């Protein structure tokens, strides 16, 4: 049998895994070697569908041999081929399975990486699934106390949410980044994330939520004393004063220019709604002071 014939290698491997009158136990060790050899030959020959199926079988073989690390590697290879084929649901399923296998052998970093690979692959085709994969990938690192390694995952989740126009979710991802940065004493990343979240709320024309976000984040001493805080404070003041030119000037400031690219793009489009209504509301509040004797 020529070694270069992957079809025959698969047939031989399949035979080794099937029980018969003459074979009472499956020979997974030799079968798995044959599956992996066939998979690589199919891949070189650009027969991606067959290569993918061979790697799936090889991964199962490694599981049968109680080798989750090698099973995960083979499953990642199958996932990469599924991506080449545009089989997006398989991309998600295979990378998730690879992640589970890495966790079985106590390796959270590659487990998170596998989910992140799936998330990147699905950003344009199944963006909602992409966000969930990014969130799951960062959660693995959080549980392992490796928040600093998750910074890019939070940013990526926020970016995809912005594309989906899910601005509250985008801001939530940035606030998660801020919290993670706080645990790592990464003050600059923390303050930039908080300002980013406030800008996202302003872009969504949710001034009340932007103000609440600012007040909540200002409870953190590092943010309270930062350039990002001063920028946020000036932005909110410009909104309440209905000062469109000041909003645009602040959006061009160095503090904003140092934020993540997707947030800068939103900031440069501010203001997105009618800020004169905010000025009117603020004026009305000043004109109608609280009457302490009026309990109605």
């Amino acid at each position: 049998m020529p070694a270069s014939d992957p079809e025959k290698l698969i047939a031989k491997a399949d035979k080794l895994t099937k029980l018969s009158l003459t074979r009472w136990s499956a020979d997974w060790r030799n079968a798995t070697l044959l599956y992996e050899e066939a998979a690589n030959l199919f891949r070189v020959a650009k027969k991606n569908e067959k290569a993918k199926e061979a790697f799936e079988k090889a991964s199962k073989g490694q599981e049968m041999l109680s080798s989750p690390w090698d099973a995960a590697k083979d499953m990642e290879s199958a996932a990469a081929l599924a991506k080449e084929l545009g089989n997006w649901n398989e991309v998600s399923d295979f990378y998730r399975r690879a992640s589970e296998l890495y966790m079985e052998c106590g390796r959270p970093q590659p487990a998170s990486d596998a989910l992140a690979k799936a998330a990147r692959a699905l950003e344009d085709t199944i963006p909602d699934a992409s966000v969930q994969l990014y969130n799951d990938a960062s959660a693995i690192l959080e549980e392992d106390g490796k928040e600093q390694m998750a910074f890019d995952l939070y940013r990526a989740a926020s970016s995809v949410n912005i594309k989906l126009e899910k601005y509250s979710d985008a801001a939530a991802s940035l606030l998660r980044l801020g919290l993670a940065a706080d645990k790592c004493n990464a003050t600059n990343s923390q303050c930039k994330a908080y300002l980013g979240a406030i800008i996202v709320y302003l872009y969504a024309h949710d001034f009340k939520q932007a103000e609440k976000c600012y007040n909540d984040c200002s409870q953190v001493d590092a943010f309270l004393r930062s350039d990002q805080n001063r920028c946020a404070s000036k932005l909110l003041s410009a909104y309440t004063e209905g000062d469109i030119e000041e909003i645009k000037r602040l959006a061009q400031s160095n503090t904003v220019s140092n934020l993540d690219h997707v947030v800068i793009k939103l900031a440069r489009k501010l203001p997105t709604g009618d800020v004169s209504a905010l000025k009117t509301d603020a004026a009305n509040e000043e004109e109608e002071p609280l009457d302490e004797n009026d309990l109605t």
Side-chain angles (χ1 to χ4, degrees):
M1 180 190 72
S4 59
D5 188 344
E7 298 280 7
K8 289 184 178 178
L9 294 176
I10 292 288
K12 184 177 180 182
D14 285 345
K15 196 173 180 182
L16 290 173
T17 62
K18 288 183 172 63
L19 304 184
S20 67
L21 291 174
T22 56
R23 182 179 291 107
W24 291 8
S25 62
D27 183 357
W28 282 106
R29 187 166 302 282
N30 284 312
T32 301
L33 291 171
L34 292 170
Y35 285 138
E36 287 177 340
E37 186 181 349
N40 286 315
L41 289 169
F42 279 134
R43 185 162 56 183
V44 169
K46 304 293 184 188
K47 294 182 178 179
N48 289 346
E49 182 67 41
K50 290 186 175 182
K52 173 180 68 73
E53 291 171 1
F55 274 119
E56 282 184 80
K57 289 183 174 184
S59 179
K60 182 188 175 184
Q62 294 291 3
E63 282 192 73
M64 298 300 288
L65 295 168
S66 301
S67 183
W69 174 267
D70 293 315
K73 286 290 185 186
D74 284 336
M75 190 54 74
E76 280 205 82
S77 295
L81 288 159
K83 178 187 171 185
E84 292 287 319
L85 292 161
N87 295 347
W88 304 115
N89 288 327
E90 283 190 338
V91 170
S92 177
D93 291 345
F94 291 173
Y95 275 123
R96 278 197 178 280
R97 182 60 191 142
S99 179
E100 291 167 2
L101 289 162
Y102 283 127
M103 289 301 286
E104 277 184 34
C105 44
R107 299 295 296 275
Q109 179 64 56
S112 173
D113 289 345
L115 295 182
K117 288 174 188 175
R120 283 190 290 273
L122 298 180
E123 277 190 16
D124 295 328
T125 52
I126 317 178
D128 287 309
S130 173
V131 170
Q132 188 58 55
L133 285 157
Y134 277 128
N135 289 340
D136 292 346
S138 56
I140 289 173
L141 294 174
E142 288 169 3
E143 287 169 20
D144 194 42
K146 301 276 176 59
E147 283 91 354
Q148 192 154 8
M149 301 179 83
F151 285 8
D152 285 342
L153 301 175
Y154 300 124
R155 292 188 184 104
S158 178
S159 177
V160 178
N161 274 318
I162 286 170
K163 289 177 189 172
L164 289 169
E165 299 183 3
K166 292 186 173 182
Y167 299 114
S168 292
D169 290 343
S173 292
L174 289 170
L175 292 172
R176 279 182 74 193
L177 168 55
L179 183 61
D182 185 44
K183 292 179 181 177
C184 306
N185 296 316
T187 305
N188 190 44
S189 293
Q190 179 183 18
C191 295
K192 285 164 69 174
Y194 288 161
L195 175 57
I198 292 163
I199 287 172
V200 169
Y201 282 127
L202 289 175
Y203 181 82
H205 206 58
D206 190 344
F207 181 79
K208 280 191 166 58
Q209 196 59 44
E211 197 171 42
K212 180 181 184 302
C213 184
Y214 171 78
N215 290 333
D216 289 345
C217 293
S218 293
Q219 302 299 312
V220 179
D221 192 49
F223 180 66
L224 186 62
R225 294 181 285 105
S226 70
D227 290 341
Q228 289 82 7
N229 179 284
R230 284 185 282 279
C231 181
S233 177
K234 289 176 182 176
L235 260 176
L236 293 172
S237 295
Y239 265 82
T240 54
E241 291 162 13
D243 191 339
I244 293 173
E245 290 308 310
E246 176 66 358
I247 294 168
K248 289 182 175 179
R249 188 190 70 77
L250 289 164
Q252 296 289 337
S253 66
N254 287 336
T255 305
V256 171
S257 296
N258 287 323
L259 300 178
D260 293 332
H261 180 63
V262 288
V263 176
I264 295 171
K265 283 178 70 177
L266 297 187
R268 298 281 154 83
K269 294 174 184 175
L270 295 177
T272 53
D274 181 12
V275 295
S276 62
L278 295 171
K279 185 179 180 181
T280 304
D281 290 344
N284 289 340
E285 285 177 18
E286 287 176 13
E287 288 172 11
E288 298 176 14
L290 178 67
D291 183 351
E292 291 180 6
N293 295 318
D294 184 0
L295 300 179
T296 57

